[in-house]
Amino acid sequence: MSLGQKSYEALLEEIKELEKENQILKSTILSADIQQTKVSDLLQFTQYSIDTISDSILWIDENGKYVFVNNAACKNYGYSKEEFLSMQMLQVDPLFTKEIWDAHWQEILEKKTFTLETINKRKDGTPFPIEVTVNLVEYGGKKYNCAIIRDITEQKLNEAKLKQTATRLEEVIATKDKFFSIIAHDLRGPLGTHREFAKHLSERISDFSESEREINLQVLSESSENLYSLMENLLNWARNQSGYIQFLPIRIQMFVLIQSILELLELSIQKKQIQIQNQIPDNLEIIADQFMIETIFRNLLTNAIKYSFINQTITIGYEKIKKEGEIPTFTHRFFVKDEGVGMTKDQIQSLFRLDKKVSTLGTNSEKGTGLGLIVSKDFIEKHNGKLWVESEPKIGSTFFLELGQIAIE
């Protein structure tokens, strides 16, 4: 009886131990399941992260063959994963050859990680700049290049914009320097000379004969005219740069406008006995800003007179140029031609640049700043037109200007 009871109690005790072990086993299994779920979730999260980032991730073996690509690579390049995994990187990088890849692989083995820029092309053949971060990784006993690739098209565009901005800033600085140079030297010099001459004339006017007074007064008048022209060009240029000059097109009778300018320049024309041929049709009317057009032609004619010799001819002409297209249009083209000193190719290339001082003495040692042509070019561009010159040394110069399109009549 006692022995039987002990056997039963021992058996019961064993059952209890087994139940405990069973509970521990269940708990262990549950913990393992939870851990496996966490690992699975982490792997899914990692895969999701790799597939949803904007950068392309590509694994490449030592032969340049793709062995893994993420979704971003497919999206960025236009290939499916199946297409990618059947390709080599040489097929998307036009700068690589087999020999270059072999050298590149050796560089990867040596440096293990580095960054470079190159050009890749999409499935449709479109090239785009990329930044590649190279990473040497080992997996399953093999070595791979885990390349993280970023499209830097926008970055390159921004760099180009920065370069343009820097260039524009240099132009602005040159403009400012030229402005102060004109004020400090080119304007101050003539003003000082004019003042001294006027003072000298006023002190000795009674000592001069009638003819001498007339000559000196003519010189003083020309000096005043030159100063006024210089000051007007300077102010017009400064106002135009600041945006203070409004574009106000009206109907202009061009023959009458040219004649009025020639009357203002009559003294200089007579002094050199220059022949003027105004070939503008007397019935020609255009729509343009009168102030700007008058300034342009005054500058061109002043220069033509300045660089002409005695008894030469200046011609002002016009032609209507037909522009081909679906809708026939014409362009107003004018020209001012002289037979004077002319210009070299280097002078022509620097003619309309503010950062290049182009001012040659006239045939009677007349001075200038080159600012008049720059103002004229700015005003022509307000009319969506263009200004250019054809010239040869000792033969003369012809300035052409077009004022945009007009409808066919």
Side-chain angles (χ1 to χ4, degrees):
M1 184 74 177
S2 176
L3 182 60
Q5 288 177 345
K6 288 182 180 180
S7 298
Y8 174 77
E9 290 172 356
L11 182 60
L12 185 60
E13 199 61 37
E14 290 179 2
I15 291 173
K16 288 179 179 180
E17 288 296 327
L18 288 173
E19 286 180 349
K20 287 181 181 179
E21 292 177 4
N22 187 44
Q23 289 297 327
I24 293 171
L25 184 59
K26 286 182 178 180
S27 178
T28 302
I29 292 172
L30 179 60
S31 178
D33 288 342
I34 293 172
Q35 187 65 28
Q36 185 176 1
T37 300
K38 288 182 178 179
V39 172
S40 178
D41 289 344
L42 182 60
L43 287 173
Q44 289 180 1
F45 181 76
T46 303
Q47 184 66 43
Y48 179 79
S49 299
I50 291 173
D51 281 337
T52 55
I53 61 174
S54 59
D55 292 343
S56 302
I57 298 179
L58 306 99
W59 282 46
I60 309 168
D61 67 14
E62 62 181 342
N63 297 313
K65 187 177 183 302
Y66 294 111
V67 297
F68 170 83
V69 295
N70 67 345
N71 288 343
C74 298
K75 179 180 178 181
N76 293 337
Y77 284 82
Y79 293 103
S80 67
K81 284 189 177 182
E82 290 74 17
E83 288 175 318
F84 248 132
L85 297 179
S86 66
M87 296 167 57
Q88 288 184 305
M89 62 87 59
L90 307 179
Q91 295 172 256
V92 301
D93 194 325
L95 303 181
F96 266 77
T97 62
K98 180 63 169 62
E99 292 74 18
I100 294 177
W101 166 255
D102 291 339
H104 181 60
W105 180 254
Q106 289 302 316
E107 185 181 15
I108 294 172
L109 295 177
E110 293 172 6
K111 294 184 177 180
K112 294 183 174 54
T113 180
F114 56 91
T115 300
L116 58 88
E117 291 184 6
T118 184
I119 302 291
N120 274 189
K121 60 180 180 180
R122 298 185 172 91
K123 185 178 180 179
D124 62 6
T126 305
F128 65 105
I130 61 170
E131 179 187 81
V132 183
T133 300
V134 173
N135 299 281
L136 178 65
V137 296
E138 293 190 35
Y139 181 80
K142 293 189 66 176
K143 294 180 179 180
Y144 301 92
N145 171 20
C146 175
I148 301 174
I149 297 175
R150 176 166 296 173
D151 185 339
I152 56 173
T153 300
E154 186 174 351
Q155 175 184 324
K156 290 299 181 183
L157 290 174
N158 290 335
E159 288 177 3
K161 289 179 182 178
L162 284 174
K163 288 181 181 179
Q164 291 176 355
T165 302
T167 301
R168 176 57 182 159
L169 182 58
E170 289 178 0
E171 292 174 353
V172 170
I173 292 173
T175 298
K176 180 200 64 154
D177 291 344
K178 179 69 174 180
F179 180 79
F180 286 114
S181 171
I182 291 169
I183 293 176
H185 181 269
D186 298 304
L187 185 58
R188 184 181 179 184
L191 273 173
T193 302
H194 181 82
R195 184 185 66 178
E196 291 299 320
F197 184 80
K199 181 181 178 181
H200 174 75
L201 184 62
S202 65
E203 290 174 349
R204 298 189 55 193
I205 189 70
S206 59
D207 299 334
F208 293 143
S209 65
E210 186 67 27
S211 60
E212 288 175 330
R213 280 197 294 269
E214 184 177 345
I215 292 172
N216 280 279
L217 285 173
Q218 284 184 354
V219 173
L220 186 63
S221 175
E222 288 181 7
S223 176
S224 299
E225 191 65 37
N226 290 334
L227 277 174
Y228 178 81
S229 178
L230 173 59
M231 180 68 74
E232 188 172 38
N233 279 327
L234 180 61
L235 292 176
N236 287 339
W237 173 79
R239 289 169 59 205
N240 186 57
Q241 294 296 308
S242 303
Y244 291 138
I245 296 182
Q246 293 184 336
F247 180 68
L248 301 172
I250 61 171
R251 188 175 294 276
I252 303 172
Q253 292 184 326
M254 284 303 298
F255 183 84
V256 175
L257 181 140
I258 296 298
Q259 287 300 116
S260 66
I261 295 172
L262 292 174
E263 289 175 7
L264 291 174
L265 302 175
E266 181 63 26
L267 181 62
S268 298
I269 294 171
Q270 287 184 358
K271 187 175 181 179
K272 289 189 174 181
Q273 301 177 21
I274 292 173
Q275 304 299 315
I276 302 293
Q277 295 183 1
N278 183 1
Q279 298 178 355
I280 305 295
D282 56 9
N283 62 347
L284 176 64
E285 291 187 344
I286 67 170
I287 303 297
D289 185 294
Q290 181 164 338
F291 167 75
M292 294 185 185
I293 296 300
E294 188 172 350
T295 300
I296 292 166
F297 275 98
R298 186 175 66 251
N299 282 320
L300 294 181
L301 287 168
T302 298
N303 281 348
I305 294 168
K306 182 190 300 184
Y307 297 113
S308 291
F309 293 97
I310 293 175
N311 292 325
Q312 289 189 327
T313 300
I314 294 173
T315 305
I316 307 107
Y318 167 81
E319 55 184 330
K320 192 162 63 173
I321 306 299
K322 185 176 181 180
K323 298 288 185 179
E324 299 297 334
E326 295 181 5
I327 301 176
T329 57
F330 290 98
T331 295
H332 292 300
R333 178 179 293 177
F334 299 88
F335 65 87
V336 176
K337 179 181 180 180
D338 66 63
E339 301 170 342
V341 297
M343 289 179 286
T344 65
K345 291 182 178 179
D346 289 340
Q347 288 176 311
I348 293 174
Q349 289 176 355
S350 302
L351 202 58
F352 300 105
R353 292 183 57 180
L354 195 59
D355 59 331
K356 300 287 186 181
K357 183 174 177 59
V358 180
S359 180
T360 306
L361 291 177
T363 54
N364 276 353
S365 299
E366 302 99 323
K367 295 181 179 180
T369 64
L371 190 61
L373 288 178
I374 293 170
V375 172
S376 298
K377 182 174 181 293
D378 287 347
F379 285 173
I380 285 290
E381 290 173 352
K382 293 281 188 182
H383 291 79
N384 293 321
K386 57 182 180 179
L387 174 66
W388 72 99
V389 62
E390 295 177 1
S391 182
E392 291 186 35
K394 299 181 181 181
I395 293 180
S397 303
T398 303
F399 283 84
F400 296 89
L401 59 101
E402 289 185 358
L403 297 176
Q405 294 182 339
I406 55 175
I408 190 171
E409 298 175 354

